[in-house]
Short mmCIF file of all heavy atoms in Angstrom, two decimals:
data_model
loop_
_atom_site.label_atom_id
_atom_site.label_comp_id
_atom_site.label_asym_id
_atom_site.label_seq_id
_atom_site.Cartn_x
_atom_site.Cartn_y
_atom_site.Cartn_z
N ARG P 1 94.92 108.04 90.71
CA ARG P 1 95.50 107.11 89.74
C ARG P 1 95.93 107.85 88.47
O ARG P 1 97.03 107.61 87.95
CB ARG P 1 94.49 106.00 89.41
CG ARG P 1 94.31 105.02 90.56
CD ARG P 1 93.20 104.03 90.28
NE ARG P 1 93.47 103.16 89.14
CZ ARG P 1 94.01 101.95 89.22
NH1 ARG P 1 94.37 101.45 90.40
NH2 ARG P 1 94.20 101.21 88.13
N ILE P 2 95.10 108.75 87.99
CA ILE P 2 95.42 109.50 86.77
C ILE P 2 96.68 110.34 86.99
O ILE P 2 97.54 110.42 86.12
CB ILE P 2 94.22 110.37 86.34
CG1 ILE P 2 93.09 109.48 85.82
CG2 ILE P 2 94.63 111.38 85.27
CD1 ILE P 2 91.77 110.19 85.67
N ALA P 3 96.78 110.96 88.17
CA ALA P 3 97.96 111.78 88.48
C ALA P 3 99.24 110.95 88.45
O ALA P 3 100.32 111.48 88.19
CB ALA P 3 97.79 112.45 89.84
N ALA P 4 99.12 109.64 88.71
CA ALA P 4 100.27 108.75 88.69
C ALA P 4 100.37 107.99 87.36
O ALA P 4 101.12 107.02 87.26
CB ALA P 4 100.18 107.77 89.85
N ASN P 5 99.59 108.42 86.39
CA ASN P 5 99.59 107.80 85.05
C ASN P 5 99.16 106.33 85.10
O ASN P 5 99.72 105.48 84.41
CB ASN P 5 100.96 107.95 84.38
CG ASN P 5 100.85 107.85 82.87
OD1 ASN P 5 99.80 108.15 82.29
ND2 ASN P 5 101.91 107.40 82.23
N ILE P 6 98.16 106.05 85.94
CA ILE P 6 97.58 104.71 86.05
C ILE P 6 96.13 104.83 85.57
O ILE P 6 95.44 105.79 85.88
CB ILE P 6 97.62 104.20 87.51
CG1 ILE P 6 99.07 104.18 88.01
CG2 ILE P 6 96.98 102.83 87.63
CD1 ILE P 6 99.19 103.94 89.51
N SER P 7 95.67 103.84 84.82
CA SER P 7 94.34 103.91 84.24
C SER P 7 93.24 103.98 85.30
O SER P 7 93.39 103.46 86.41
CB SER P 7 94.09 102.72 83.31
OG SER P 7 94.12 101.53 84.05
N GLU P 8 92.14 104.64 84.93
CA GLU P 8 90.99 104.78 85.82
C GLU P 8 90.35 103.43 86.09
O GLU P 8 90.41 102.52 85.27
CB GLU P 8 89.94 105.69 85.18
CG GLU P 8 90.29 107.14 85.15
CD GLU P 8 89.14 107.98 84.61
OE1 GLU P 8 88.12 108.12 85.32
OE2 GLU P 8 89.25 108.47 83.48
N LEU P 9 89.70 103.35 87.23
CA LEU P 9 88.92 102.16 87.58
C LEU P 9 87.48 102.36 87.13
O LEU P 9 86.93 103.45 87.26
CB LEU P 9 88.96 101.94 89.09
CG LEU P 9 90.33 101.68 89.69
CD1 LEU P 9 90.30 101.83 91.20
CD2 LEU P 9 90.84 100.31 89.30
N LYS P 10 86.88 101.31 86.61
CA LYS P 10 85.47 101.34 86.21
C LYS P 10 84.63 100.77 87.34
O LYS P 10 85.01 99.78 87.98
CB LYS P 10 85.25 100.51 84.94
CG LYS P 10 86.12 100.92 83.76
CD LYS P 10 85.77 102.31 83.27
CE LYS P 10 86.64 102.68 82.09
NZ LYS P 10 87.00 104.07 82.06
N ILE P 11 83.48 101.37 87.56
CA ILE P 11 82.58 100.89 88.60
C ILE P 11 81.95 99.57 88.14
O ILE P 11 81.47 99.47 87.02
CB ILE P 11 81.48 101.92 88.91
CG1 ILE P 11 82.10 103.19 89.49
CG2 ILE P 11 80.45 101.34 89.86
CD1 ILE P 11 81.14 104.35 89.63
N ASN P 12 81.99 98.58 89.03
CA ASN P 12 81.38 97.29 88.74
C ASN P 12 80.26 97.05 89.74
O ASN P 12 80.49 97.08 90.96
CB ASN P 12 82.43 96.17 88.84
CG ASN P 12 81.82 94.81 88.55
OD1 ASN P 12 81.04 94.28 89.33
ND2 ASN P 12 82.19 94.25 87.41
N PRO P 13 79.03 96.82 89.27
CA PRO P 13 77.88 96.61 90.18
C PRO P 13 78.06 95.44 91.15
O PRO P 13 77.57 95.51 92.28
CB PRO P 13 76.71 96.36 89.24
CG PRO P 13 77.13 96.92 87.92
CD PRO P 13 78.62 96.81 87.87
N LEU P 14 78.75 94.39 90.72
CA LEU P 14 78.98 93.27 91.64
C LEU P 14 79.92 93.67 92.77
O LEU P 14 79.71 93.27 93.93
CB LEU P 14 79.54 92.06 90.89
CG LEU P 14 78.57 91.33 89.97
CD1 LEU P 14 79.29 90.19 89.24
CD2 LEU P 14 77.37 90.79 90.74
N LEU P 15 80.94 94.46 92.45
CA LEU P 15 81.84 94.93 93.51
C LEU P 15 81.11 95.89 94.44
O LEU P 15 81.35 95.89 95.66
CB LEU P 15 83.08 95.59 92.91
CG LEU P 15 84.07 94.66 92.22
CD1 LEU P 15 85.24 95.45 91.64
CD2 LEU P 15 84.56 93.58 93.17
N GLU P 16 80.22 96.72 93.89
CA GLU P 16 79.41 97.60 94.75
C GLU P 16 78.53 96.78 95.69
O GLU P 16 78.42 97.09 96.87
CB GLU P 16 78.53 98.51 93.89
CG GLU P 16 79.27 99.61 93.19
CD GLU P 16 78.36 100.49 92.34
OE1 GLU P 16 77.45 99.96 91.66
OE2 GLU P 16 78.56 101.71 92.37
N LYS P 17 77.95 95.71 95.16
CA LYS P 17 77.08 94.85 95.98
C LYS P 17 77.90 94.16 97.07
O LYS P 17 77.47 94.10 98.23
CB LYS P 17 76.38 93.82 95.09
CG LYS P 17 75.39 92.96 95.82
CD LYS P 17 74.65 92.03 94.86
CE LYS P 17 73.65 91.17 95.61
NZ LYS P 17 72.95 90.24 94.72
N ALA P 18 79.07 93.64 96.71
CA ALA P 18 79.93 92.98 97.70
C ALA P 18 80.37 93.97 98.78
O ALA P 18 80.36 93.65 99.97
CB ALA P 18 81.15 92.36 97.01
N ALA P 19 80.74 95.19 98.35
CA ALA P 19 81.15 96.22 99.31
C ALA P 19 80.00 96.58 100.24
O ALA P 19 80.20 96.77 101.45
CB ALA P 19 81.66 97.46 98.56
N GLN P 20 78.78 96.68 99.69
CA GLN P 20 77.61 97.01 100.51
C GLN P 20 77.34 95.92 101.53
O GLN P 20 77.06 96.21 102.71
CB GLN P 20 76.37 97.24 99.64
CG GLN P 20 75.21 97.84 100.41
CD GLN P 20 75.53 99.22 100.94
OE1 GLN P 20 75.73 100.15 100.17
NE2 GLN P 20 75.58 99.38 102.25
N MET P 21 77.44 94.68 101.10
CA MET P 21 77.20 93.57 102.03
C MET P 21 78.24 93.56 103.15
O MET P 21 77.89 93.34 104.32
CB MET P 21 77.22 92.25 101.27
CG MET P 21 76.03 92.11 100.31
SD MET P 21 76.18 90.69 99.20
CE MET P 21 75.80 89.38 100.34
N LYS P 22 79.48 93.82 102.82
CA LYS P 22 80.55 93.86 103.84
C LYS P 22 80.33 95.05 104.78
O LYS P 22 80.43 94.90 106.01
CB LYS P 22 81.92 93.95 103.16
CG LYS P 22 83.09 94.17 104.12
CD LYS P 22 83.35 92.97 105.02
CE LYS P 22 84.51 93.19 105.97
NZ LYS P 22 85.79 92.84 105.44
N ALA P 23 80.02 96.22 104.23
CA ALA P 23 79.78 97.41 105.06
C ALA P 23 78.60 97.18 105.99
O ALA P 23 78.66 97.49 107.19
CB ALA P 23 79.56 98.64 104.19
N ASP P 24 77.52 96.62 105.46
CA ASP P 24 76.33 96.34 106.28
C ASP P 24 76.65 95.33 107.38
O ASP P 24 76.15 95.46 108.50
CB ASP P 24 75.18 95.83 105.41
CG ASP P 24 74.59 96.90 104.51
OD1 ASP P 24 74.84 98.11 104.73
OD2 ASP P 24 73.87 96.52 103.55
N ASP P 25 77.45 94.33 107.05
CA ASP P 25 77.81 93.31 108.04
C ASP P 25 78.59 93.95 109.20
O ASP P 25 78.29 93.69 110.36
CB ASP P 25 78.62 92.19 107.38
CG ASP P 25 78.80 90.99 108.29
OD1 ASP P 25 77.77 90.37 108.65
OD2 ASP P 25 79.95 90.68 108.64
N MET P 26 79.57 94.78 108.86
CA MET P 26 80.35 95.43 109.91
C MET P 26 79.47 96.36 110.75
O MET P 26 79.57 96.39 111.97
CB MET P 26 81.53 96.21 109.32
CG MET P 26 82.64 95.33 108.79
SD MET P 26 84.16 96.23 108.38
CE MET P 26 83.59 97.39 107.13
N ALA P 27 78.60 97.13 110.07
CA ALA P 27 77.74 98.08 110.78
C ALA P 27 76.74 97.37 111.68
O ALA P 27 76.51 97.78 112.82
CB ALA P 27 77.02 98.98 109.77
N THR P 28 76.16 96.30 111.18
CA THR P 28 75.15 95.56 111.94
C THR P 28 75.75 94.85 113.15
O THR P 28 75.15 94.80 114.21
CB THR P 28 74.47 94.51 111.03
OG1 THR P 28 73.86 95.20 109.93
CG2 THR P 28 73.42 93.72 111.77
N ARG P 29 76.98 94.35 112.97
CA ARG P 29 77.58 93.55 114.02
C ARG P 29 78.68 94.28 114.79
O ARG P 29 79.36 93.69 115.63
CB ARG P 29 78.08 92.23 113.44
CG ARG P 29 76.92 91.49 112.77
CD ARG P 29 77.15 90.06 112.39
NE ARG P 29 78.37 89.80 111.65
CZ ARG P 29 79.09 88.70 111.82
NH1 ARG P 29 78.73 87.78 112.68
NH2 ARG P 29 80.18 88.51 111.10
N SER P 30 78.85 95.57 114.49
CA SER P 30 79.76 96.44 115.26
C SER P 30 81.20 95.92 115.33
O SER P 30 81.82 95.89 116.40
CB SER P 30 79.24 96.67 116.68
OG SER P 30 77.98 97.28 116.63
N TYR P 31 81.75 95.54 114.19
CA TYR P 31 83.17 95.19 114.14
C TYR P 31 83.81 95.95 112.98
O TYR P 31 83.12 96.43 112.09
CB TYR P 31 83.39 93.67 113.99
CG TYR P 31 83.08 93.12 112.61
CD1 TYR P 31 84.09 92.98 111.64
CD2 TYR P 31 81.80 92.71 112.27
CE1 TYR P 31 83.80 92.47 110.38
CE2 TYR P 31 81.51 92.20 111.02
CZ TYR P 31 82.52 92.07 110.07
OH TYR P 31 82.24 91.58 108.82
N PHE P 32 85.11 96.07 113.01
CA PHE P 32 85.85 96.73 111.94
C PHE P 32 87.11 95.93 111.68
O PHE P 32 88.08 96.01 112.43
CB PHE P 32 86.19 98.17 112.34
CG PHE P 32 86.99 98.91 111.31
CD1 PHE P 32 86.44 99.25 110.09
CD2 PHE P 32 88.31 99.24 111.56
CE1 PHE P 32 87.18 99.92 109.14
CE2 PHE P 32 89.07 99.91 110.61
CZ PHE P 32 88.50 100.25 109.40
N ALA P 33 87.07 95.12 110.63
CA ALA P 33 88.21 94.26 110.31
C ALA P 33 88.02 93.68 108.91
O ALA P 33 86.89 93.57 108.43
CB ALA P 33 88.33 93.12 111.32
N HIS P 34 89.13 93.30 108.31
CA HIS P 34 89.05 92.67 106.99
C HIS P 34 88.38 91.30 107.09
O HIS P 34 87.65 90.90 106.19
CB HIS P 34 90.43 92.56 106.36
CG HIS P 34 90.97 93.89 105.94
ND1 HIS P 34 90.49 94.59 104.85
CD2 HIS P 34 91.92 94.67 106.49
CE1 HIS P 34 91.14 95.73 104.73
NE2 HIS P 34 92.01 95.81 105.72
N ASN P 35 88.61 90.59 108.19
CA ASN P 35 87.97 89.30 108.41
C ASN P 35 86.81 89.46 109.37
O ASN P 35 86.90 90.23 110.34
CB ASN P 35 88.96 88.29 108.97
CG ASN P 35 90.06 87.95 107.97
OD1 ASN P 35 89.98 88.25 106.78
ND2 ASN P 35 91.12 87.32 108.46
N THR P 36 85.73 88.72 109.14
CA THR P 36 84.58 88.76 110.04
C THR P 36 84.96 88.11 111.37
O THR P 36 85.98 87.42 111.46
CB THR P 36 83.38 87.99 109.44
OG1 THR P 36 83.69 86.59 109.44
CG2 THR P 36 83.02 88.47 108.04
N PRO P 37 84.15 88.29 112.40
CA PRO P 37 84.45 87.63 113.68
C PRO P 37 84.58 86.11 113.55
O PRO P 37 85.30 85.47 114.32
CB PRO P 37 83.26 88.01 114.56
CG PRO P 37 82.82 89.33 114.02
CD PRO P 37 83.01 89.23 112.53
N GLU P 38 83.91 85.51 112.54
CA GLU P 38 84.02 84.07 112.32
C GLU P 38 85.21 83.69 111.44
O GLU P 38 85.44 82.53 111.17
CB GLU P 38 82.75 83.51 111.64
CG GLU P 38 81.47 83.76 112.37
CD GLU P 38 80.93 85.18 112.18
OE1 GLU P 38 81.13 85.77 111.10
OE2 GLU P 38 80.33 85.69 113.12
N GLY P 39 85.94 84.71 110.96
CA GLY P 39 87.13 84.44 110.16
C GLY P 39 86.92 84.47 108.65
O GLY P 39 87.82 84.11 107.89
N LYS P 40 85.73 84.88 108.18
CA LYS P 40 85.52 84.98 106.73
C LYS P 40 86.36 86.12 106.19
O LYS P 40 86.32 87.23 106.70
CB LYS P 40 84.05 85.20 106.41
CG LYS P 40 83.19 84.01 106.75
CD LYS P 40 81.72 84.27 106.48
CE LYS P 40 80.89 83.07 106.92
NZ LYS P 40 79.46 83.36 106.92
N THR P 41 87.12 85.83 105.15
CA THR P 41 88.04 86.80 104.56
C THR P 41 87.31 87.75 103.61
O THR P 41 86.14 87.50 103.25
CB THR P 41 89.15 86.07 103.78
OG1 THR P 41 88.56 85.46 102.62
CG2 THR P 41 89.85 85.03 104.64
N PRO P 42 87.97 88.80 103.16
CA PRO P 42 87.34 89.70 102.18
C PRO P 42 86.90 88.96 100.91
O PRO P 42 85.92 89.34 100.28
CB PRO P 42 88.45 90.70 101.85
CG PRO P 42 89.32 90.70 103.06
CD PRO P 42 89.29 89.29 103.58
N TRP P 43 87.58 87.89 100.56
CA TRP P 43 87.28 87.18 99.31
C TRP P 43 85.92 86.49 99.39
O TRP P 43 85.30 86.22 98.37
CB TRP P 43 88.40 86.19 99.00
CG TRP P 43 89.75 86.75 99.41
CD1 TRP P 43 90.68 86.12 100.17
CD2 TRP P 43 90.28 88.06 99.13
NE1 TRP P 43 91.76 86.95 100.38
CE2 TRP P 43 91.53 88.16 99.75
CE3 TRP P 43 89.81 89.16 98.43
CZ2 TRP P 43 92.34 89.29 99.70
CZ3 TRP P 43 90.61 90.31 98.37
CH2 TRP P 43 91.84 90.35 98.99
N TYR P 44 85.44 86.25 100.60
CA TYR P 44 84.10 85.67 100.81
C TYR P 44 83.04 86.53 100.14
O TYR P 44 82.13 86.02 99.50
CB TYR P 44 83.84 85.54 102.32
CG TYR P 44 82.40 85.28 102.68
CD1 TYR P 44 81.87 84.00 102.58
CD2 TYR P 44 81.57 86.31 103.12
CE1 TYR P 44 80.54 83.75 102.92
CE2 TYR P 44 80.25 86.08 103.45
CZ TYR P 44 79.73 84.80 103.34
OH TYR P 44 78.43 84.56 103.67
N TRP P 45 83.15 87.85 100.29
CA TRP P 45 82.14 88.77 99.75
C TRP P 45 82.18 88.80 98.23
O TRP P 45 81.14 88.89 97.58
CB TRP P 45 82.33 90.17 100.34
CG TRP P 45 82.34 90.12 101.84
CD1 TRP P 45 83.44 90.15 102.66
CD2 TRP P 45 81.22 89.94 102.71
NE1 TRP P 45 83.06 90.02 103.98
CE2 TRP P 45 81.71 89.88 104.03
CE3 TRP P 45 79.85 89.83 102.49
CZ2 TRP P 45 80.87 89.74 105.13
CZ3 TRP P 45 79.02 89.68 103.59
CH2 TRP P 45 79.53 89.63 104.89
#
């Protein structure tokens, strides 16, 4: 981002938690997709 003259991103603990929950869900249930097998979108997390 800096190389393209775009401001840096700040780490947000809530986004880290949401990302962890999504990663754990995919790992536990062996799928790889933006939507869960039940159709929950990324915005759910």
